[in-house]
Amino acid sequence: MTPFEFLLPYSLDEALSLLDPEDPNVRPVGGGTAVMLMMKAGVLRPTRLVSLQRIGSQHAQIERRTDGTLLIGGLARLSDIEAHPAVREGWPLLAQALRGVANPRVRAVATIGGNLSHADPHMDMPPVMAALGATVVISGASGSREVPADALCTGYYETVVKRDELITELRVPPQAGPGAYLKLTTRAAHDWPALGLAVVLGLQGERVTSASILTGAATDSPTRLRNAQSILMQRGLSAPVLREAAEAAVAEAPLVADAHGSAAYKRQLLRVALPRAVQAALNRTRSLA
């Protein structure tokens, strides 16, 4: 192993001061799950790792604010978010999606900020957070800024987070209505997905007042399927409309081939997945009624 510094700052400001905007080999470490995999594969040879483990427990908080917003600290563990009573009650889509992320050992150490910053296109959380309308708070030496979750990822392993910045907080508005995350894998259920699809619907009786549909894994970054959303809002949720929306999604999404399947295979997955995801969201709502 190539020698490197491992630094343990005791505050957010100190951690930020140790990052280098010019050096891609200086990396922050939350849970370390992605960094360790990259180091083992030889694609990352860090000169410095900045641990975030002791910068303060306030950065791992999970709470529902009085205005109904869910606040999640960037260092909150995935397993803690999934198990939190407020999340299970008010954001069932998030709780459901987290249960399928990797495995219990990974979820016990991986942090939400690190997960989103890593921007692997096969990650489950970026499309889910975007579908929920979350806001990402990014902090740097000059202050903090807010970015919509669906604008966070800009490409393959790329985000708007600069090298000397950290994701410190997520703000998730109340879930608008029934939601589901459908994850289609080619091997084990916890494997990287060939396609992920997050759906949140706002309903007023039988009418769809809002629709938020994003796909991941099959594209270089989470992609909002605007044409499919519009069809559902204009024409409802009948089986023929769902098939039409699925075809619109297939035509719209910039699907890419990778080790998990060809673009043609992923088009068929999306064609099948969209009606299933909508139906799964509706079924969960009915089971709670």
Side-chain angles (χ1 to χ4, degrees):
M1 182 180 292
T2 304
F4 60 89
E5 291 182 288
F6 187 84
L7 305 181
L8 197 64
Y10 282 79
S11 71
L12 175 61
D13 288 343
E14 184 185 0
L16 291 171
S17 72
L18 296 172
L19 300 176
D20 188 335
E22 305 301 327
D23 189 349
N25 294 314
V26 174
R27 296 291 183 94
V29 180
T33 52
V35 166
M36 290 300 104
L37 287 175
M38 293 174 72
M39 290 175 65
K40 287 180 179 180
V43 296
L44 173 64
R45 293 181 172 85
T47 56
R48 176 188 297 170
L49 294 180
V50 180
S51 173
L52 306 177
Q53 294 300 311
R54 299 186 183 178
I55 66 171
S57 59
Q58 71 272 22
H59 298 294
Q61 63 183 324
I62 305 166
E63 63 173 307
R64 184 190 302 207
R65 292 290 180 87
T66 55
D67 63 358
T69 298
L70 177 68
L71 187 147
I72 306 175
L75 289 178
R77 309 290 182 185
L78 301 187
S79 59
D80 292 337
I81 301 169
E82 186 276 323
H84 199 281
V87 175
R88 293 194 169 192
E89 178 185 354
W91 291 265
L93 167 60
L94 180 55
Q96 175 245 321
L98 282 167
R99 285 194 292 272
V101 173
N103 57 61
R105 289 175 297 175
V106 169
R107 295 196 296 274
V109 296
T111 64
I112 189 65
N115 183 280
L116 294 173
S117 299
H118 186 49
D120 187 314
H122 298 91
M123 293 282 193
D124 303 298
M125 285 297 99
V128 169
M129 286 297 183
L132 288 168
T135 297
V136 181
V137 179
I138 300 170
S139 298
S142 59
S144 298
R145 56 194 176 101
E146 299 180 6
V147 175
D150 61 359
L152 177 68
C153 299
T154 57
Y156 203 78
Y157 287 97
E158 295 179 347
T159 72
V160 298
V161 182
K162 299 174 184 177
R163 292 193 181 112
D164 57 349
E165 293 181 324
L166 296 169
I167 292 178
T168 51
E169 191 174 283
L170 281 92
R171 298 169 187 166
V172 190
Q175 187 170 318
Y181 179 66
L182 196 59
K183 175 177 177 174
L184 302 177
T185 65
T186 53
R187 293 174 293 190
H190 63 267
D191 194 15
W192 293 117
L195 179 132
L197 193 67
V199 174
V200 178
L201 301 172
L203 300 178
Q204 193 173 71
E206 297 297 316
R207 187 168 67 91
V208 181
T209 57
S210 65
S212 187
I213 307 173
L214 284 102
T215 187
T219 52
D220 279 344
S221 60
T223 302
R224 184 174 294 277
L225 303 174
R226 300 184 186 279
N227 292 340
Q229 293 176 172
S230 296
I231 289 171
L232 298 187
M233 288 188 286
Q234 293 169 6
R235 301 188 53 198
L237 299 171
S238 66
V241 172
L242 291 181
R243 288 195 293 271
E244 181 183 345
E247 292 299 332
V250 168
E252 179 181 7
L255 303 176
V256 296
D258 61 13
H260 301 280
S262 65
Y265 174 66
K266 293 183 179 185
R267 281 194 291 271
Q268 184 59 22
L269 288 182
L270 181 55
R271 186 175 284 117
V272 172
L274 194 146
R276 288 186 181 178
V278 171
Q279 196 58 55
L282 297 175
N283 290 343
R284 288 193 179 96
T285 298
R286 291 174 187 137
S287 69
L288 295 173

